[in-house]
Amino acid sequence: MARSPLLSRVLAGCTMGATLTGNQCPDNSGCQLWRGRLRRGDDAVSTESCRWEGEMAMSGSLRTGRQSMSAGLGPSRVRIVTDSSSDLLPSHARAIGVVVVPNWIMLDGQALRDGVEITAAQFYARLPHTSTAPYTKPASVEDFITAYQWLFGQGATEILSVHLSAKLSRVVHNAAAARDALAPAPIDVIDSRVSGIALWPAITRAAALAGLGAPLQYIHAQVIAILEHTRLYVMVESLEPLRRAGRIGRARVLLGTLLDAHPILTIQQGEIAPVETARPRERAMRRMRDLVRDLGPLETLLICGTSIESIAEWESVLSEVYRGVIQKTWLGPTQGANTGPAIAVAAVMQRS
């Protein structure tokens, strides 16, 4: 199948097999643990340090570092794929060797590839001036076929493809259709049953394990375990964008016209579900902070927003109850086109 020129440019920009070792970032553009501040107008992050634990379960023991899985067994070449709903910035994806297949952003009659032809900063700068409400289209079956074929051509022996909930988009259906079209190629497609930054911890962990040569079955199990311990909370300014996008699910019970009301949402069983509505905005943020605190000890905490100011404000509120590193990014265009202005937090609870 012919490759689209646009997707070719996307794939060519993905560094396959990039592995972080020790405290090094391969291109200083992003890493698993991001510190510092987002720069306005682009997707760069100033990074003080990056690290990950390359834990490998081999022959019943735990080892760390770049080692083959066992004597006499060559290293696996598993590669990780996701779509742009995961909110991985292009620099971050390149740094950890993840291929992000972009979704379409439909903006005032233009069809733009998320993260390729429009960045989050550009999207939110244009949003207040649009004449029609933006919407999204999922990456196509052909896009995924092209991505998978490219990876196999680059030496991948297996692919793990992780995507947002099938109840929120047809992205995972298209990925599965591409897998079926390429059968019996070893492609494992996971419906994460979450969305946005809730995908981050599982994807970054998968990328780390893949870089260390872990087998597909082990990476799959780790992804599922992390997703089961990840909680997502989102505070939106209005439910109207979600209603227009047809993604409101059970959250429709929160529809109302309260002045300065801010619905807090989560994802349950793969669909958007209401937590409560709080007013004013400051109280809603404190309520989300308390929801995070009540989760107990955390392994990872990530936040995102639709402006530099909202991200900084949200980080300050969470810092009242969380002393660890708070990872930060934009709420990407795929998510923002469906939620409108919002902030979100994803927390991974400690596993026993």
Side-chain angles (χ1 to χ4, degrees):
M1 181 173 295
R3 179 184 306 169
S4 71
L6 180 56
L7 191 56
S8 295
R9 294 201 302 272
V10 177
L11 296 175
C14 296
T15 303
M16 300 313 303
T19 302
L20 307 185
T21 59
N23 291 322
Q24 302 298 313
C25 287
D27 60 4
N28 292 320
S29 61
C31 58
Q32 182 180 358
L33 295 182
W34 288 357
R35 302 176 183 178
R37 296 183 179 179
L38 289 165
R39 293 207 303 264
R40 187 185 304 278
D42 62 19
D43 67 2
V45 176
S46 61
T47 305
E48 296 175 8
S49 68
C50 63
R51 66 181 185 272
W52 57 31
E53 300 170 354
E55 299 170 354
M56 304 294 287
M58 298 181 289
S59 302
S61 64
L62 188 67
R63 302 182 186 178
T64 303
R66 295 179 60 84
Q67 304 178 37
S68 61
M69 293 309 298
S70 63
L73 183 64
S76 169
R77 290 187 58 81
V78 178
R79 292 297 175 257
I80 310 303
V81 175
T82 188
D83 63 274
S84 59
S85 67
S86 63
D87 289 344
L88 281 172
L89 299 179
S91 56
H92 188 190
R94 285 193 298 270
I96 64 176
V98 171
V99 166
V100 178
V101 181
N103 296 304
W104 289 100
I105 307 301
M106 312 305 291
L107 191 64
D108 275 347
Q110 288 184 291
L112 304 168
R113 288 286 192 173
D114 184 359
V116 179
E117 296 170 316
I118 189 166
T119 67
Q122 292 166 347
F123 175 78
Y124 293 114
R126 290 181 58 176
L127 189 59
H129 311 291
T130 57
S131 58
T132 58
Y135 62 98
T136 59
K137 290 184 177 180
S140 69
V141 176
E142 291 74 20
D143 289 340
F144 282 108
I145 289 175
T146 301
Y148 296 155
Q149 288 178 328
W150 183 83
L151 285 170
F152 286 127
Q154 293 296 308
T157 57
E158 297 171 299
I159 292 172
L160 181 64
S161 200
V162 187
H163 303 284
L164 83 160
S165 172
K167 293 184 178 180
L168 300 178
S169 170
R170 290 198 59 81
V171 169
V172 73
H173 296 286
N174 291 349
R179 174 202 61 201
D180 295 344
L182 295 175
I187 302 169
D188 184 2
V189 176
I190 294 179
D191 176 357
S192 70
R193 298 173 65 84
V194 297
S195 182
I197 58 170
L199 285 161
W200 264 42
I203 290 172
T204 54
R205 177 64 169 162
L209 291 170
L212 292 166
L216 178 60
Q217 294 85 351
Y218 180 70
I219 300 174
H220 179 113
Q222 288 290 297
V223 166
I224 296 300
I226 293 170
L227 289 170
E228 288 176 347
H229 285 79
T230 302
R231 299 293 180 269
L232 175 71
Y233 296 106
V234 182
M235 185 190 80
V236 296
E237 301 295 334
S238 168
L239 287 171
E240 181 59 22
L242 285 167
R243 185 196 65 77
R244 287 197 308 263
R247 295 190 178 187
I248 204 166
R250 286 179 288 164
R252 65 172 57 90
V253 300
L254 290 176
L255 283 170
T257 57
L258 289 175
L259 181 64
D260 200 25
H262 294 274
I264 299 172
L265 310 171
T266 189
I267 292 184
Q268 294 179 353
Q269 298 180 346
E271 67 178 353
I272 297 171
V275 178
E276 62 183 75
T277 297
R279 54 184 297 196
R281 186 175 188 275
E282 291 73 18
R283 183 176 180 276
M285 293 182 72
R286 292 195 299 272
R287 178 61 183 132
M288 276 224 297
R289 174 203 63 192
D290 294 344
L291 288 168
V292 171
R293 179 198 61 200
D294 294 346
L295 293 174
L298 302 177
E299 293 182 359
T300 307
L301 191 64
L302 310 94
I303 64 172
C304 66
T306 54
S307 70
I308 296 293
E309 293 77 12
S310 67
I311 294 170
E313 181 185 18
W314 185 210
E315 181 184 22
S316 177
V317 171
L318 280 172
S319 295
E320 298 171 4
V321 298
Y322 183 74
R323 303 304 180 197
V325 174
I326 299 177
Q327 302 175 62
K328 304 175 287 293
T329 190
W330 290 94
L331 184 78
T334 295
Q335 299 296 330
N338 293 295
T339 65
I343 59 172
V345 58
V348 181
M349 298 179 292
Q350 282 190 3
R351 291 170 285 168
S352 58

